[in-house]
Amino acid sequence: MIQEFKKVWKQYTIGMVWLLGLLWPMLGIHADGTLTFQKTLTVWGYILAGTFVCFMIYIMKSGSSFKFIADPISRAANGVKSASTALPTWVWITVVMVLVLIYPQLAGRYGTDVAITVLFYICLGLGLNVVVGLAGMLDLGYIAFYGVGAYTYAILNTTYGLAFWVCLPVSALTACIAGCIVGYPTLRMRGDYLAIVTLGFGEIIRIILNNWMTLTNGPNGILGIKPIGIFLPMFENGFTFEHIWVKKLQFFYYFALGLAIVTAIGVHRLNFSRVGRAWESIREDETAAELMGVNTFIYKLLAYAMGAVFAGMAGAFFAARMKFVSPESFTFLESAMVLCMVVLGGMGSIPGIILGVIALVALPEIFRELESYRMLVFGATMIIMMLFRPSGLIPAKRVGTRSEEKEG
Amino acid sequence: MRRRVLSIMIMGLILVPFLFSAVAAKTLKIGSMSPLTGPYASDGTDIKNGTRAAIEVFEEAGGMPGYDKIEFFPQDTACDPRQAVSSANKLINLEVVGVIGAYCSSSTIPSSETLAEEDIIMITPASTNEKVTDRGLPYMFRMCGRDDDQAPAAAKFLKESLGAKTIFIVDDKTTYSQGLADGVKKASIALGMEVVAHEHVNQGDKDFSAILTMAKRANADVFYMSLQGYSPAAMMTLQAKRLGMDSQIVTQDAVFQPKYMDVAKEASQGVFLTYGFTDQTTPQYKAFEARYVPKYGKIAAYATYAYDSATALLYAIKAAGSTDPKMIKAELMKLDFQGVAKHIKFRANGDSGSSYIAYKVVGDKFVPYWEPVNGLIK
Amino acid sequence: MRLLPWHKPHLLVRPNNLKLRKLNTMEYFIQQLINGLTLGGMYALIALGYTMVYGVIQLINFAHGEFFAAGGYVGAIALAYFAGIGYMDSHPIICLTASFMIAMAYCAYLAVGVEKIAYKPLRKNSRLAALLSALGMSIFLSNGMMLTQGVYDKVYPGELFQGRFDFGMVTISYLQIMIVSLTACLLVGLNLLVFKTKIGMAMRATAQDKTMSALVAIGSNKIISLTFAIGAGLAAAAGIMYGLYYGSVKYDMGFVPGIKAFAAAVLGGIGNITGAMIGGLIIGMVEIFGAGYISSEYKDVFAFIILIGVLYFKPNGIMGENIDDTRV
């Protein structure tokens, strides 16, 4: 076993030695003129232990040493699978829906808070998925559309007092316009340039939000946004409608859930439509698509605008939930995080994105003590996913099959 | 399809731990909100430590009757309004009785609205903008001074002590900095001085050479620097000196941090700033110093105010005998004692009075220099 | 010199060569020019790394900004160490030079490792995969620095280069002179390396056509590693200059200068070394003049606008592209 992996061993040891040389200047040289090794070796020791364990698991798995554990697990998994196929699909879907619907009652305030955050990121991830996963354009300024939607609702609500449901389509529309404005000059550019230009646009929008004091109140944000107001039918003295504000977190959960479901259904329908097929062709090979008569520019712009629309709607809900917006919520780091979730889950696959969001938003909440390592894990996740599994945890299902796959 | 549904279900199981949000023993929960990361982290950590010291002292003196222990939940706002609001939400979820915080006025104002919805008492040790207590929130209190006292004091200092005729003002557009800058502008004009320019930079900027060259060109008598925190102020001071901008630099209470002199070194010598007056000769202060310094290090700007805020809150809870916000508020309004930083007595709107004096940077210390009533301090 | 009310000894001490007239327009312009030159030099150094790497492997190395930040950190650490053992007072110039060398070597070491881990395995994959890996590496490195060095600013010792020249009301500080001259030396050195040596020729050949270079026995892997190393070394030098100029470094300082430097590289023509130098100077000037004459709040926006404008109207940049366009 060791023989086969000699090359990998060598790379591993070189990597670890390199890491030691990297860590020592940062940790070991002190301002009082001393050179210590203690801290460096401790940190390096931890990293060495962790990576060594992962490495051994990887080797043993490839070398089938885990048969004594792996076999019962796969048999159990098969058993679960066959059990699950015993019941028809709709039963499972109902179970999931029921669980999801009664979740706030079970989870209490904190859990509902986390779940709402997860739902918002699911919407963002699905929207970004339209741009990155379906149409294949790397957009690093995506969060700006989220910000545009949120600020539209904030400004309209605080200045003109317009209600949420009136502002929601307006938010979507402004985000769409922003998407078109950003998309128009950038879509003719190469992939790498597209990424950096969208990043530039994202930053420009954030800087404008931060500096246009008269419109957006600058870095201090806009306060006093009214939450969602709905009319509930009341049956007391005849049939009247009573206006209530959706302030309670549990209540708001259902709205966020509704938004997520609408977004998921929308993205799903887009994916399996003519538009989706056009996007897939553009993603796979743009020149060929152009040759086959697909108007690449219009479809790319459409992808951009659709992604922006989903983000804008999510932004309006976000503003209604926080009742406060500030430019700091819409930085490049947020964009990178959403991208990480999409990449982790699997670009183009809806269940993959849901899994990616849950993994990257809910799991850190459980591991509270390791809060400061969160971003480190994000970065490492992106690198590791690209190196080992670029299609993500749950890869996208292709529309149709390729000729090579048919023959094989 | 089934596999997908199954996988989504398994993912959902990850959320199961949240179903079991446990209920702990009888503890009294106090929270604090301050920047623990970012450029203002030193002030934020002071606030956290000051609150912690107060809780320790209180528990040593017998603790809270009816409770086993007092649990403290420090939250990180990073002087970012968004993080402040989510910290407030976290504290609401944790069901704290009172919050000491926040530091930046732009964080305190939004998060106080969130906390006000749940009627949680909030005492800010460091947010000086007027709007904090002017909004009429019933459970919002302030231990430090107000900017509409600080600005006139600063303007008076500029006129009477420095004899300035022209002023160049810079701020970074945050609630606190801009509020104070506007106040100083108004007060200076009222006193007959000329405000040559009122420029803005962005929070987080590092390169101030363009603005400083503008200031050099204007060559006002005084350069009034209103920035949120010692770190940008230190950089601006350094660059000003290097560029040869010779106007007298005057700044405000956010810069009252020994680290300012560490970063700006020689350039910081002779800089003036306004800050609330703390009598360091009182027995309360000495006791606090003896307790705080060995464990937490040097006393910087807001540890004393945070200590006083937490002490006031705990006394009020003890006197009220319950965690009902109305009763705690009633007790808070009755408080009247000499704290570490100042004499603690709350007014009807939650303020506790301000007394701003001017300090001067000499060596690595802030030396009291001038006070509004008697002028130069001997 | 008229005695103003606050000219009492214990209140205010003004330097002796004070002239109490205001800066006139010409002097303001010259002052901003000097500021812009200093900043532009730093951007040029960072831009060189971007442009050389893109020239050989067509990858926007998002992590390049982090090499810049790492250089700043290691420079601070080295200078603090020398101050700690007492060499700074006796031999400041030697300590400074040593710090530069240490930081540049460290960043070269870091860059070569990063390339082997995150970029080399992905050379056959799509561009998107490499780009995402670069992004992940950027986040990873900046947070790694935050965890090892702390979230606070790391302060640079300020005793170096404290003086300044005053020409009328225009001020040139010693530090600015040092930065500009050091940048010029590094740029000249790089030019000599790339255009007058054999290794440089190998680098240019690999940038132009990797396959062909491999056929004529130029080890493209080694050359790519060398390119990364040189680029990172230059960024490290820029990092130390940045730390000296602004007084402190922070773990997230690489992000915004990184984007502006990339804009500079694109402006000058990606892959083109002379172009990157010129692009850096232009971006620095535009930023300072924009801040001085138009608006100080929006100064970051100017660089982005130039980036977008150049890519839209003249994607080849001012001096023309220089990449391996044989790769499909």
Side-chain angles (χ1 to χ4, degrees):
Chain A
M1 175 183 69
I2 309 259
Q3 288 305 106
E4 298 156 358
F5 293 98
K6 218 171 174 174
K7 183 168 173 240
V8 191
W9 270 111
K10 190 164 153 221
Q11 284 178 337
Y12 178 68
T13 32
I14 293 180
M16 283 294 124
V17 170
W18 173 78
L19 187 65
L20 185 63
L22 203 67
L23 281 176
W24 179 69
M26 287 290 192
L27 291 173
I29 304 183
H30 297 287
D32 47 6
T34 56
L35 301 173
T36 60
F37 295 93
Q38 181 60 38
K39 186 143 184 249
T40 321
L41 286 172
T42 333
V43 172
W44 187 65
Y46 281 130
I47 302 180
L48 190 66
T51 48
F52 192 70
V53 166
C54 299
F55 192 57
M56 289 312 278
I57 294 179
Y58 171 69
I59 288 187
M60 291 217 240
K61 191 153 161 280
S62 333
S64 340
S65 307
F66 271 148
K67 277 229 154 68
F68 63 98
I69 298 184
D71 271 348
I73 290 187
S74 54
R75 252 181 277 138
N78 281 332
V80 173
K81 245 182 246 158
S82 47
S84 69
T85 53
L87 292 173
T89 325
W90 65 265
V91 173
W92 287 112
I93 296 186
T94 336
V95 171
V96 170
M97 289 310 298
V98 165
L99 270 178
V100 157
L101 283 169
I102 63 171
Y103 179 79
Q105 259 57 294
L106 303 171
R109 215 195 148 106
Y110 177 60
T112 321
D113 213 21
V114 172
I116 293 182
T117 315
V118 165
L119 287 168
F120 274 128
Y121 275 112
I122 288 180
C123 298
L124 284 174
L126 289 172
L128 185 61
N129 177 47
V130 169
V131 181
V132 175
L134 299 185
M137 302 184 288
L138 186 56
D139 182 358
L140 293 178
Y142 185 68
I143 210 83
F145 304 129
Y146 190 50
V148 164
Y151 264 90
T152 312
Y153 173 52
I155 296 172
L156 286 177
N157 189 277
T158 46
T159 342
Y160 300 115
L162 295 175
F164 177 79
W165 299 107
V166 173
C167 294
L168 185 62
V170 180
S171 284
L173 187 65
T174 37
C176 181
I177 294 176
C180 292
I181 294 177
V182 171
Y184 183 74
T186 59
L187 291 177
R188 297 194 195 273
M189 301 182 193
R190 287 210 283 265
D192 328 331
Y193 289 166
L194 180 69
I196 210 105
V197 166
T198 48
L199 188 125
F201 266 117
E203 281 295 295
I204 290 179
I205 292 183
R206 187 187 62 82
I207 292 176
I208 293 178
L209 287 176
N210 200 27
N211 286 323
W212 197 344
M213 294 296 286
T214 46
L215 189 66
T216 65
N217 202 18
N220 308 309
I222 299 184
L223 205 50
I225 306 172
K226 291 272 181 299
I228 305 178
I230 59 169
F231 287 99
L232 273 190
M234 287 293 177
F235 295 97
E236 288 180 355
N237 305 322
F239 190 76
T240 54
F241 281 101
E242 190 192 310
H243 181 254
I244 60 166
W245 297 111
V246 180
K247 274 196 201 160
K248 280 195 75 71
L249 212 59
Q250 272 86 344
F251 205 179
F252 189 82
Y253 169 84
Y254 294 109
F255 285 91
L257 187 65
L259 177 72
I261 292 180
V262 164
T263 314
I265 294 179
V267 173
H268 189 259
R269 295 303 317 143
L270 277 173
N271 198 3
F272 292 103
S273 71
R274 261 186 58 199
V275 180
R277 277 200 290 283
W279 285 338
E280 181 161 357
S281 69
I282 295 174
R283 180 182 76 214
E284 293 303 320
D285 192 334
E286 200 172 321
T287 328
E290 189 84 40
L291 277 174
M292 297 299 288
V294 173
N295 187 346
T296 48
F297 183 70
I298 291 289
Y299 276 107
K300 280 159 97 167
L301 197 60
L302 189 65
Y304 233 82
M306 286 311 307
V309 161
F310 288 127
M313 291 200 302
F317 275 91
F318 176 73
R321 178 209 168 179
M322 301 282 279
K323 300 189 255 319
F324 166 79
V325 284
S326 87
E328 282 308 306
S329 314
F330 311 114
T331 56
F332 165 70
L333 206 59
E334 289 285 323
S335 242
M337 277 181 14
V338 178
L339 186 63
C340 189
M341 293 170 199
V342 171
V343 161
L344 174 63
M347 288 190 274
S349 103
I350 295 177
I353 290 175
I354 297 178
L355 178 61
V357 170
I358 292 182
L360 287 180
V361 176
L363 280 183
E365 297 287 332
I366 302 181
F367 297 111
R368 258 319 173 59
E369 315 81 54
L370 305 174
E371 174 84 33
S372 40
Y373 296 98
R374 203 170 128 232
M375 291 314 294
L376 203 69
V377 170
F378 270 34
T381 309
M382 289 251 273
I383 303 175
I384 293 176
M385 287 309 293
M386 282 296 117
L387 286 176
F388 294 110
R389 207 179 155 94
S391 47
L393 286 175
I394 303 184
K397 275 181 66 168
R398 289 184 169 281
V399 179
T401 46
R402 300 188 118 172
S403 50
E404 309 95 64
E405 287 162 17
K406 262 209 188 106
E407 285 157 25
Chain B
M1 182 60 176
R2 274 180 217 109
R3 207 160 22 131
R4 286 194 185 186
V5 171
L6 200 62
S7 40
I8 296 183
M9 275 191 69
I10 297 179
M11 294 179 252
L13 285 176
I14 297 181
L15 290 174
V16 164
F18 296 107
L19 299 180
F20 303 103
S21 35
V23 180
K26 201 86 164 85
T27 57
L28 180 69
K29 297 188 191 169
I30 306 280
S32 86
M33 287 171 43
S34 62
L36 300 174
T37 57
Y40 318 108
S42 17
D43 287 318
T45 319
D46 290 337
I47 293 178
K48 176 180 86 165
N49 290 338
T51 317
R52 201 171 255 153
I55 294 178
E56 282 166 12
V57 167
F58 194 80
E59 284 201 320
E60 275 169 25
M64 186 67 71
Y67 290 94
D68 299 321
K69 62 193 271 278
I70 305 176
E71 245 191 298
F72 177 50
F73 297 101
Q75 298 293 318
D76 179 13
T77 61
C79 193
D80 168 19
R82 171 189 74 103
Q83 258 182 269
V85 172
S86 56
S87 306
N89 276 319
K90 262 190 223 141
L91 287 173
I92 296 177
N93 287 340
L94 288 166
E95 286 163 21
V96 296
V97 175
V99 175
I100 310 296
Y103 170 73
C104 294
S105 304
S106 48
S107 304
T108 307
I109 294 177
S111 47
S112 60
E113 308 240 334
T114 315
L115 288 173
E117 278 173 24
E118 301 288 326
D119 292 335
I120 294 183
I121 307 239
M122 187 178 196
I123 308 182
T124 173
S127 291
T128 50
N129 190 283
E130 311 84 65
K131 283 210 268 297
V132 170
T133 45
D134 277 351
R135 289 165 298 160
L137 291 176
Y139 300 111
M140 180 82 224
F141 296 90
R142 194 209 307 256
M143 191 53 82
C144 56
R146 287 168 63 108
D147 281 341
D148 51 5
D149 291 327
Q150 193 179 171
K156 193 159 185 234
F157 169 67
L158 294 179
K159 178 144 179 112
E160 288 181 11
S161 181
L162 293 184
K165 295 225 174 39
T166 50
I167 310 179
F168 189 102
I169 302 182
V170 171
D171 69 51
D172 66 4
K173 296 196 303 254
T174 55
T175 314
Y176 159 71
S177 320
Q178 185 154 27
L180 193 51
D182 288 338
V184 168
K185 184 175 182 178
K186 225 169 37 169
S188 307
I189 294 179
L191 285 177
M193 299 183 269
E194 183 197 341
V195 173
V196 177
H198 183 175
E199 294 293 330
H200 307 279
V201 292
N202 281 327
Q203 214 181 0
D205 264 357
K206 283 204 128 168
D207 190 308
F208 301 115
S209 50
I211 276 236
L212 291 169
T213 310
M214 255 197 268
K216 191 172 161 191
R217 179 200 212 176
N219 203 18
D221 298 327
V222 164
F223 180 78
Y224 188 78
M225 196 165 61
S226 180
L227 298 176
Q228 181 100 60
Y230 79 90
S231 174
M235 269 190 279
M236 198 178 252
T237 315
L238 253 179
Q239 291 174 29
K241 170 124 190 261
R242 204 185 293 130
L243 211 57
M245 192 209 69
D246 291 319
S247 316
Q248 172 63 50
I249 300 180
V250 177
T251 179
Q252 18 73 317
D253 59 339
V255 181
F256 191 89
Q257 243 290 351
K259 286 212 179 77
Y260 174 67
M261 280 79 91
D262 284 340
V263 181
K265 301 182 252 284
E266 267 181 41
S268 64
Q269 298 302 305
V271 166
F272 291 103
L273 54 75
T274 48
Y275 181 69
F277 173 65
T278 303
D279 190 346
Q280 295 190 355
T281 59
T282 59
Q284 285 87 1
Y285 186 87
K286 290 207 184 325
F288 173 70
E289 198 174 9
R291 185 189 189 80
Y292 186 88
V293 173
K295 195 164 177 195
Y296 299 113
K298 262 161 93 167
I299 301 177
Y302 291 104
T304 49
Y305 287 107
Y307 182 87
D308 281 339
S309 314
T311 314
L313 180 67
L314 289 169
Y315 279 178
I317 298 177
K318 185 171 180 181
S322 90
T323 56
D324 178 20
K326 282 206 216 21
M327 297 180 65
I328 302 180
K329 177 176 177 167
E331 291 302 325
L332 274 173
M333 300 308 271
K334 285 195 216 147
L335 285 176
D336 187 347
F337 67 97
Q338 175 67 25
V340 173
K342 62 199 278 194
H343 188 91
I344 299 177
K345 184 168 167 58
F346 288 109
R347 299 185 193 151
N349 70 345
D351 275 325
S352 56
S354 1
S355 60
Y356 282 99
I357 69 171
Y359 288 77
K360 181 178 180 182
V361 174
V362 175
D364 62 348
K365 285 201 190 1
F366 294 102
V367 171
Y369 185 77
W370 175 94
E371 56 134 350
V373 174
N374 297 327
L376 286 174
I377 300 174
K378 297 293 171 280
Chain C
M1 185 171 83
R2 61 188 166 95
L3 196 66
L4 292 143
W6 63 92
H7 264 187
K8 299 196 189 93
H10 71 279
L11 267 170
L12 183 59
V13 177
R14 286 201 168 194
N16 290 332
N17 57 349
L18 175 68
K19 290 185 187 62
L20 291 173
R21 63 180 171 81
K22 299 188 198 290
L23 264 179
N24 67 31
T25 323
M26 190 54 182
E27 282 169 330
Y28 184 67
F29 178 80
I30 295 181
Q31 182 71 72
Q32 299 288 38
L33 195 71
I34 297 170
N35 295 339
L37 202 66
T38 320
L39 192 63
M42 287 191 261
Y43 285 154
L45 287 173
I46 311 175
L48 279 168
Y50 273 112
T51 213
M52 290 201 294
V53 164
Y54 197 90
V56 277
I57 54 173
Q58 283 83 56
L59 168 72
I60 301 180
N61 182 9
F62 278 112
H64 196 71
E66 316 313 324
F67 299 150
F68 165 71
Y73 266 109
V74 174
I77 294 173
L79 282 171
Y81 174 72
F82 287 129
I85 58 175
Y87 272 176
M88 275 292 266
D89 305 315
S90 38
H91 314 100
I93 304 288
I94 297 184
C95 286
L96 190 65
T97 322
S99 306
F100 265 99
M101 307 236 132
I102 295 175
M104 288 165 82
Y106 180 84
C107 286
Y109 179 73
L110 173 65
V112 168
V114 161
E115 194 259 328
K116 290 265 179 298
I117 296 177
Y119 303 150
K120 185 158 172 234
L122 295 173
R123 265 190 230 158
K124 302 273 183 315
N125 289 31
S126 68
R127 283 229 182 115
L128 190 63
L131 215 56
L132 288 170
S133 177
L135 191 59
M137 189 47 100
S138 163
I139 298 177
F140 186 77
L141 286 175
S142 66
N143 276 280
M145 282 189 283
M146 178 190 86
L147 287 170
T148 48
Q149 283 292 316
V151 297
Y152 305 106
D153 290 11
K154 194 159 180 78
V155 177
Y156 262 71
E159 297 84 34
L160 300 161
F161 302 110
Q162 281 290 40
R164 58 178 204 251
F165 289 118
D166 289 301
F167 300 103
M169 285 299 253
V170 171
T171 309
I172 308 181
S173 65
Y174 290 166
L175 196 58
Q176 280 177 314
I177 296 178
M178 197 267 306
I179 291 178
V180 172
S181 41
L182 186 58
T183 310
C185 288
L186 286 170
L187 295 180
V188 165
L190 186 71
N191 249 311
L192 285 175
L193 178 72
V194 170
F195 291 109
K196 297 271 191 296
T197 64
K198 240 172 161 193
I199 292 261
M201 198 170 359
M203 286 169 71
R204 277 180 288 142
T206 316
Q208 197 174 33
D209 190 337
K210 250 204 304 296
T211 330
M212 219 33 211
S213 324
L215 281 175
V216 296
I218 295 179
S220 57
N221 280 342
K222 284 214 175 63
I223 296 290
I224 292 175
S225 298
L226 182 67
T227 313
F228 264 90
I230 296 179
L234 293 170
I240 303 186
M241 291 180 200
Y242 190 91
L244 286 169
Y245 195 55
Y246 293 117
S248 63
V249 290
K250 204 165 170 215
Y251 67 94
D252 59 357
M253 77 186 220
F255 175 58
V256 173
I259 306 182
K260 291 185 185 159
F262 183 73
V266 164
L267 174 61
I270 197 92
N272 191 320
I273 291 179
T274 331
M277 299 180 195
I278 296 180
L281 289 170
I282 295 181
I283 295 264
M285 297 285 194
V286 164
E287 184 179 322
I288 293 288
F289 277 111
Y293 286 103
I294 305 177
S295 154
S296 175
E297 304 156 301
Y298 285 98
K299 75 170 154 56
D300 287 343
V301 168
F302 300 125
F304 295 136
I305 292 183
I306 292 185
L307 174 67
I308 297 170
V310 166
L311 282 177
Y312 187 64
F313 292 109
K314 199 171 186 330
N316 286 342
I318 296 180
M319 313 239 356
E321 270 184 352
N322 182 20
I323 58 170
D324 183 355
D325 40 17
T326 61
R327 176 186 154 137
V328 173

